[in-house]
Amino acid sequence: MTNEKKWGDKEIAAFGVAAVMFVALVSYWVSEVDSTVELLTLAYGSFKLFNNPLVF
Amino acid sequence: MFSTLLGQYSRSFTVLLVAIVVVLLEVFGVRSAIYPGLLPYFEWIKYSSWIGIIGTTYGSIYATVEAAHLLSMATIGGLVLATDLRLLGVLLRDVPSETVTRGTHKAFSIALTVAILTGIFCAAGVGDKVYYMEVFWIKMLVLLTGACFMYFIKQPLLNSKPHSEINPWLIRLLAVTSILIWFTVAATGRWIGFS
């Protein structure tokens, strides 16, 4: 008896789609955070996490 | 040999073909060529269609349909979290994951149908606004790919065999991706409302 779990057609398709979508969505949200930080830096000169940018 | 492989891995080849078509459409600028031609439809749905006229004339009806849209989205969120957190082994550990994934799927389909129908009404009321919003198109793209992911990839795999026979890391990847998809649909939806 073997515990090996064979990868069939459904597994390969699921892995491919899930991996692409996961990377795409994480990249999207990271780019949104990045552009928000850039906008705050432009607006207030600097942006520090855990630091209120409205307080100079 | 190739036809045997094609028959054996038809789903994987279909996914690859779809990915190639999407890349080609983007490379040849088909999306950007179609986009300007869609504006008249968005203006028509707001100013000339009956759903657009009802949505812009009667605030109470718009608010009621929007409430149904938010409730259906909340139902989707709850069902997705219950299913995927069970797959991750966080929730409902005393219930077999097969029972949870099969049990929630019908309610998910109903909630998704209600969300799409009420969403069309909500978008019709602000058609000329959402057309210009990048986040609206992101939501539509993620909603479409998320629904395809759910109906053609995730659910067929989870229903095909006992979950103990599927690689646990693949199940975890499917669950995390599913949560991320529906989180993005919900977040971009609120972003549209906020803008």
Side-chain angles (χ1 to χ4, degrees):
Chain A
M1 194 173 154
T2 174
N3 285 328
E4 192 184 335
K5 293 169 178 69
K6 287 194 176 173
W7 283 59
D9 183 30
K10 283 186 178 133
E11 278 89 346
I12 295 170
F15 176 77
V17 173
V20 169
M21 289 197 77
F22 179 81
V23 171
L25 290 172
V26 168
S27 306
Y28 171 69
W29 285 113
V30 168
S31 74
E32 286 300 332
V33 171
D34 210 37
S35 59
T36 304
V37 170
E38 196 180 315
L39 198 68
L40 286 170
T41 311
L42 273 171
Y44 302 109
S46 69
F47 173 75
K48 290 173 190 163
L49 209 58
F50 307 117
N51 198 11
N52 187 350
L54 293 170
V55 179
F56 293 97
Chain B
M1 164 107 181
F2 183 72
S3 60
T4 315
L5 267 178
L6 200 65
Q8 204 175 351
Y9 295 99
S10 57
R11 197 176 290 259
S12 304
F13 277 111
T14 307
V15 166
L16 188 65
L17 189 69
V18 169
I20 291 169
V21 168
V22 169
V23 170
L24 286 177
L25 288 177
E26 197 61 29
V27 167
F28 290 110
V30 175
R31 184 178 56 85
S32 45
I34 289 172
Y35 179 67
L38 293 176
L39 182 58
Y41 295 104
F42 279 77
E43 288 175 338
W44 168 81
I45 204 166
K46 180 178 178 183
Y47 296 110
S48 304
S49 73
W50 63 270
I51 50 171
I53 291 167
I54 290 173
T56 49
T57 311
Y58 304 102
S60 58
I61 295 177
Y62 188 87
T64 306
V65 176
E66 191 168 41
H69 184 67
L70 291 176
L71 281 173
S72 58
M73 288 301 296
T75 308
I76 290 173
L79 291 167
V80 164
L81 281 178
T83 309
D84 293 328
L85 290 178
R86 173 62 191 92
L87 289 173
L88 290 170
V90 177
L91 279 183
L92 305 164
R93 292 170 74 166
D94 53 338
V95 183
S97 57
E98 291 87 349
T99 308
V100 178
T101 50
R102 284 176 202 274
T104 54
H105 192 60
K106 193 177 177 187
F108 174 85
S109 298
I110 294 168
L112 184 63
T113 307
V114 174
I116 290 171
L117 292 176
T118 52
I120 291 169
F121 182 89
C122 292
V126 285
D128 56 346
K129 176 186 150 190
V130 294
Y131 171 82
Y132 295 103
M133 294 173 69
E134 187 189 319
V135 70
F136 169 77
W137 295 103
I138 297 279
K139 179 179 174 173
M140 293 305 110
L141 181 67
V142 179
L143 181 66
L144 180 69
T145 50
C148 290
F149 172 74
M150 190 63 101
Y151 287 105
F152 301 125
I153 301 291
K154 187 183 167 209
Q155 206 63 23
L157 173 65
L158 294 176
N159 287 347
S160 66
K161 56 176 89 170
H163 296 176
S164 57
E165 290 179 16
I166 304 171
N167 188 304
W169 284 104
L170 179 58
I171 290 186
R172 286 179 196 127
L173 179 65
L174 287 175
V176 170
T177 306
S178 172
I179 290 173
L180 197 53
I181 286 169
W182 298 106
F183 164 79
T184 304
V185 172
T188 49
R190 288 315 307 136
W191 196 341
I192 293 167
F194 177 74
S195 302

